[in-house]
Amino acid sequence: MLFIKLFLSYGLAVFLVRGDAVPCVSRKFDQDSTVCVCNSTYCDAPGIEGGGLLWTYFNTFTTTKDGLRLYRDLGTFDDQVTPNKYVFTVGNNTRQMILGFGGAFTDAATMTMNSLSPQTRHRLIASYFEQNGLEYTMGRIPMASNEFSNRVYSYDDVADDFELTNFKLPDEDIKFKLPAIRDAVRASKRNVTLFGTPWSSPSWMKTNGNMSGPGTIKDGEQFLNTWAKYFVQFIKRYTELGVNIWAMTVQNEPSDGFKENFPYQCLGWTAETQRDFISKFLGPALKDNGLDYVKLIILDDQRTFLPSWPGVVLNDPSVAPYVSGIAVHWYADDNVSTNVLDETYFDFGDEYFLLNTEAAIRDEFDKSNTVRLGDWQRGERYFIDILQDLKHGVSGWVDSNLALDMNGGPSWAGNEADSAVIVNTDKDEFYKQPMFYAMGHFSKFVRPGSKMLEYSTNLPNDSDLKAIFFTRLDDSIAANFVNTNENEIYNITITDYRVPGYLNYQIFPKTFITFIWYRI
Ligand SMILES: *[C@@H]1O[C@H](CO)[C@@H](O)[C@H](O)[C@H]1NC(C)=O
Ligand SMILES: *[C@@H]1O[C@H](CO)[C@@H](O)[C@H](O)[C@H]1NC(C)=O
Ligand SMILES: *[C@@H]1O[C@H](CO)[C@@H](O)[C@H](O)[C@H]1NC(C)=O
Ligand SMILES: *[C@@H]1O[C@H](CO)[C@@H](O)[C@H](O)[C@H]1NC(C)=O
Ligand SMILES: *[C@@H]1O[C@H](CO)[C@@H](O)[C@H](O)[C@H]1NC(C)=O
Ligand SMILES: *[C@@H]1O[C@H](CO)[C@@H](O)[C@H](O)[C@H]1NC(C)=O
Ligand SMILES: *[C@@H]1O[C@H](CO)[C@@H](O)[C@H](O)[C@H]1NC(C)=O
């Protein structure tokens, strides 16, 4: 080992690990941090992570408010015991397995991508999916329109077409979503897992006769049967067109369908009606059509409904076999304690995964603040929410729109939002925001199959430094830290009994950092 250590000098090692990275060309708009600018000929990339560096070194990838973006470097383990004030000791117990990270192939996202030249569009998809990019492995696919569409439509708007003979994928799927998904899958060296989600049934199946506004599926088996068949048609068409569907959530935010004046596409279900729809209609329809490999994911709504919703659905033995997971959104995370995740993980975590399937940021009160190019705090909010979810049993985290335009749209409903990538069509450029890099610290390094790893520390829970550790399939460790403090430098020591040294490091203010090391 000593020979190899001497041979592989520090300089050579730095060259080897940083060789394929492409630096960020940053631009400052009127926010506290910057975006990285990509165009048809240039785009930054963290590079290919690479394999087992010797245990003498550890890798770091750093993103800072000051402008580093997944910046790669090497550190050496110290031989001496010089523990810093805060010590993290890697434990032996693992928890949930990681499924992956990704974003949504909405109409808005994929139409926005297509407004770029083919070369620039390719760089956008590569930034998310290629091996030198963020290596996303998950995609959410809206089943027909939602508020991030240009118009309101379903796949069968012919009233009372109970046989779905007029079921048809429109241009949104054929010209925009499917090509983007196929290009993403082609770009990836990993397996990209895709799941579909309905926002509303066709209006004629819905009690209010309108895809938007509160309502449920009309009473009667005929309607429930047809709604289940609609899922089958969607999966079959996508599969025929070269996109395999791994899972379906049963309904996006089923509680929206009961909110008075809810203005967008929605469909109301209670835990009880969702349970019965799965056991009597959707589960059997998938099975009868040879699609029982498609996993069903329940809830797909705020934390507020945990742990009671999965309790109602999964404690019914006739429905449990059809279900694989429980999906949550992030919009109530400031108001609902992570205890509900712990309870759900405790009740069901061994059998049913927990997955965050949507997150987006907008300013509810000030439309001029919808897109904030280079806002550091929005990146921090992503990083912290992901870290917090994963600490409490969640297996993956899927962002909303993969890209939006300069106004945070298009949205027929005027429900614009910010996005990890913002496209400037006029200039044929796109901007990678701090949120993009926050996602990347997880998607790139916390590979599918990794497991959350317990650790002990003397750092107080309410510290502005937060940490999470993972053990990966190749027996390496990835640890993610965030320092949200404006001023404080945290000196940390990480000890791992399978490494003959100490990882001492200074974590500067307003930093995301990933540490990676291999064990002996
Ligand atoms: C793309 O960006 C790079 C780096 O900023 C710049 O050198 C190049 O001229 C740009 N290309 C185009 C086509 O604008
Ligand atoms: C993990 O297990 C190893 C080997 O059994 C042991 O030496 C080490 O102390 C354990 N670490 C912790 C934090 O329990
Ligand atoms: C992709 O999935 C296939 C089938 O499950 C598996 O054999 C293969 O190892 C996976 N590849 C990667 C890179 O995870
Ligand atoms: C459907 O609901 C939306 C939102 O509430 C409303 O603007 C629209 O006029 C309704 N359409 C019909 C056909 O009633
Ligand atoms: C949720 O939390 C935010 C921030 O902590 C607070 O401003 C808001 O009033 C809360 N909303 C509800 C419904 O409690
Ligand atoms: C800190 O978090 C741990 C693990 O969640 C918990 O057991 C402990 O009670 C917390 N301590 C404080 C002071 O909140
Ligand atoms: C943190 O580490 C640096 C570099 O080793 C050292 O100069 C500094 O005094 C340390 N700060 C504290 C608070 O220990």
Side-chain angles (χ1 to χ4, degrees):
M1 273 310 193
L2 184 66
F3 291 121
I4 303 170
K5 183 173 171 173
L6 291 172
F7 176 74
L8 193 69
S9 74
Y10 185 80
L12 176 63
V14 168
F15 172 77
L16 286 175
V17 295
R18 218 183 279 152
D20 60 343
V22 181
C24 167
V25 169
S26 65
R27 190 178 297 168
K28 185 124 167 59
F29 288 86
D30 46 1
Q31 306 302 331
D32 58 352
S33 187
T34 50
V35 298
C36 298
V37 181
C38 296
N39 61 25
S40 61
T41 57
Y42 191 92
C43 197
D44 63 293
I48 295 171
E49 192 207 302
L53 267 180
L54 295 172
W55 46 261
T56 44
Y57 298 106
F58 57 88
N59 289 298
T60 58
F61 289 86
T62 309
T63 299
T64 62
K65 185 175 158 192
D66 288 346
L68 295 182
R69 294 292 181 264
L70 286 169
Y71 176 78
R72 182 172 202 156
D73 210 344
L74 282 181
T76 47
F77 285 99
D78 288 343
D79 298 336
Q80 285 124 10
V81 195
T82 52
N84 283 298
K85 190 167 165 197
Y86 298 117
V87 178
F88 296 82
T89 305
V90 175
N92 290 317
N93 298 325
T94 58
R95 291 186 78 203
Q96 82 277 11
M97 194 182 81
I98 298 304
L99 287 170
F101 301 87
F105 291 90
T106 58
D107 291 352
T110 54
M111 291 166 106
T112 302
M113 288 177 194
N114 276 35
S115 74
L116 292 164
S117 68
Q119 296 85 343
T120 310
R121 175 182 174 279
H122 171 75
R123 288 185 185 276
L124 197 167
I125 290 174
S127 292
Y128 276 124
F129 289 92
E130 267 188 1
Q131 202 180 12
N132 65 1
L134 299 194
E135 300 190 79
Y136 271 20
T137 58
M138 288 197 132
R140 188 183 195 209
I141 310 171
M143 184 161 77
S145 66
N146 68 10
E147 72 267 30
F148 284 102
S149 304
N150 263 343
R151 63 188 182 106
V152 180
Y153 64 89
S154 82
Y155 294 144
D156 189 345
D157 286 322
V158 177
D160 297 336
D161 183 13
F162 294 107
E163 293 306 314
L164 297 179
T165 47
N166 298 288
F167 187 101
K168 187 169 183 292
L169 298 180
D171 279 357
E172 279 85 347
D173 295 81
I174 302 297
K175 289 195 180 152
F176 301 109
K177 284 154 65 180
L178 282 157
I181 296 164
R182 283 190 295 248
D183 288 348
V185 170
R186 254 196 298 270
S188 174
K189 282 238 166 25
R190 298 182 179 176
N191 288 323
V192 179
T193 48
L194 299 159
F195 61 95
T197 294
W199 265 255
S200 173
S201 68
S203 57
W204 54 270
M205 296 185 198
K206 214 175 139 189
T207 49
N208 65 339
N210 191 333
M211 288 182 76
S212 302
T216 60
I217 287 279
K218 285 181 184 164
D219 275 346
E221 290 210 353
Q222 203 174 22
F223 289 101
L224 290 158
N225 246 324
T226 307
W227 183 228
K229 263 192 263 174
Y230 187 99
F231 280 72
V232 169
Q233 284 301 314
F234 169 76
I235 298 165
K236 283 190 168 167
R237 297 293 166 96
Y238 261 65
T239 310
E240 281 162 19
L241 294 167
V243 169
N244 293 323
I245 301 294
W246 166 74
M248 296 293 302
T249 73
V250 180
Q251 175 62 47
N252 176 67
E253 298 190 357
S255 68
D256 290 347
F258 300 109
K259 290 178 186 157
E260 212 180 324
N261 300 323
F262 188 81
Y264 320 125
Q265 293 94 323
C266 61
L267 189 64
W269 302 88
T270 63
E272 287 79 9
T273 60
Q274 182 164 85
R275 172 194 66 200
D276 296 344
F277 174 59
I278 295 168
S279 77
K280 297 200 181 81
F281 300 97
L282 185 55
L286 293 177
K287 199 166 177 195
D288 292 347
N289 285 279
L291 302 175
D292 42 357
Y293 64 87
V294 176
K295 299 178 190 309
L296 291 180
I297 307 176
I298 61 167
L299 190 57
D300 207 10
D301 207 323
Q302 315 313 326
R303 259 187 211 171
T304 329
F305 299 94
L306 296 178
S308 62
W309 188 293
V312 169
V313 178
L314 299 174
N315 289 331
D316 180 335
S318 76
V319 61
Y322 293 121
V323 176
S324 298
I326 304 158
V328 288
H329 293 183
W330 87 327
Y331 304 98
D333 287 4
D334 284 347
N335 301 85
V336 185
S337 137
T338 50
N339 290 345
V340 299
L341 293 174
D342 293 334
E343 287 168 46
T344 310
Y345 184 71
F346 178 80
D347 290 347
F348 303 108
D350 290 337
E351 278 176 276
Y352 303 94
F353 59 78
L354 273 159
L355 184 66
N356 182 87
T357 45
E358 194 185 306
I361 297 183
R362 66 170 60 77
D363 188 322
E364 303 291 343
F365 307 105
D366 181 1
K367 274 229 162 205
S368 67
N369 254 335
T370 301
V371 172
R372 290 172 63 92
L373 289 171
D375 184 303
W376 180 256
Q377 204 212 329
R378 289 184 175 183
E380 246 178 25
R381 280 178 63 193
Y382 265 47
F383 197 106
I384 289 169
D385 195 79
I386 300 168
L387 185 145
Q388 185 194 54
D389 268 358
L390 298 183
K391 276 193 152 178
H392 296 277
V394 174
S395 288
W397 211 90
V398 179
D399 191 10
S400 181
N401 304 286
L402 286 165
L404 289 171
D405 67 23
M406 293 290 277
N407 299 316
S411 163
W412 68 271
N415 187 43
E416 289 83 5
D418 210 347
S419 175
V421 167
I422 292 291
V423 166
N424 186 338
T425 307
D426 295 341
K427 292 191 167 165
D428 195 34
E429 298 179 331
F430 62 93
Y431 309 127
K432 290 156 56 174
Q433 301 237 57
M435 289 183 277
F436 175 90
Y437 297 91
M439 289 293 301
H441 279 271
F442 291 90
S443 64
K444 190 168 180 65
F445 308 116
V446 187
R447 301 171 186 151
S450 302
K451 287 183 174 165
M452 218 268 280
L453 180 61
E454 291 184 344
Y455 65 92
S456 55
T457 183
N458 58 348
L459 183 79
N461 286 2
D462 60 359
S463 167
D464 286 340
L465 185 71
K466 310 237 176 280
I468 189 163
F469 289 72
F470 302 91
T471 164
R472 308 194 297 179
L473 288 172
D474 63 357
D475 206 20
S476 55
I477 302 283
N480 273 341
F481 284 69
V482 53
N483 179 0
T484 59
N485 197 283
E486 285 281 359
N487 308 304
E488 191 162 349
I489 298 170
Y490 287 90
N491 285 5
I492 64 157
T493 297
I494 300 175
T495 69
D496 176 354
Y497 78 97
R498 287 179 55 194
V499 173
Y502 299 86
L503 192 164
N504 294 311
Y505 210 83
Q506 286 187 279
I507 302 182
F508 282 85
K510 293 292 174 192
T511 295
F512 312 144
I513 183 164
T514 300
F515 298 99
I516 291 166
W517 67 89
Y518 290 80
R519 312 176 92 183
I520 32 173

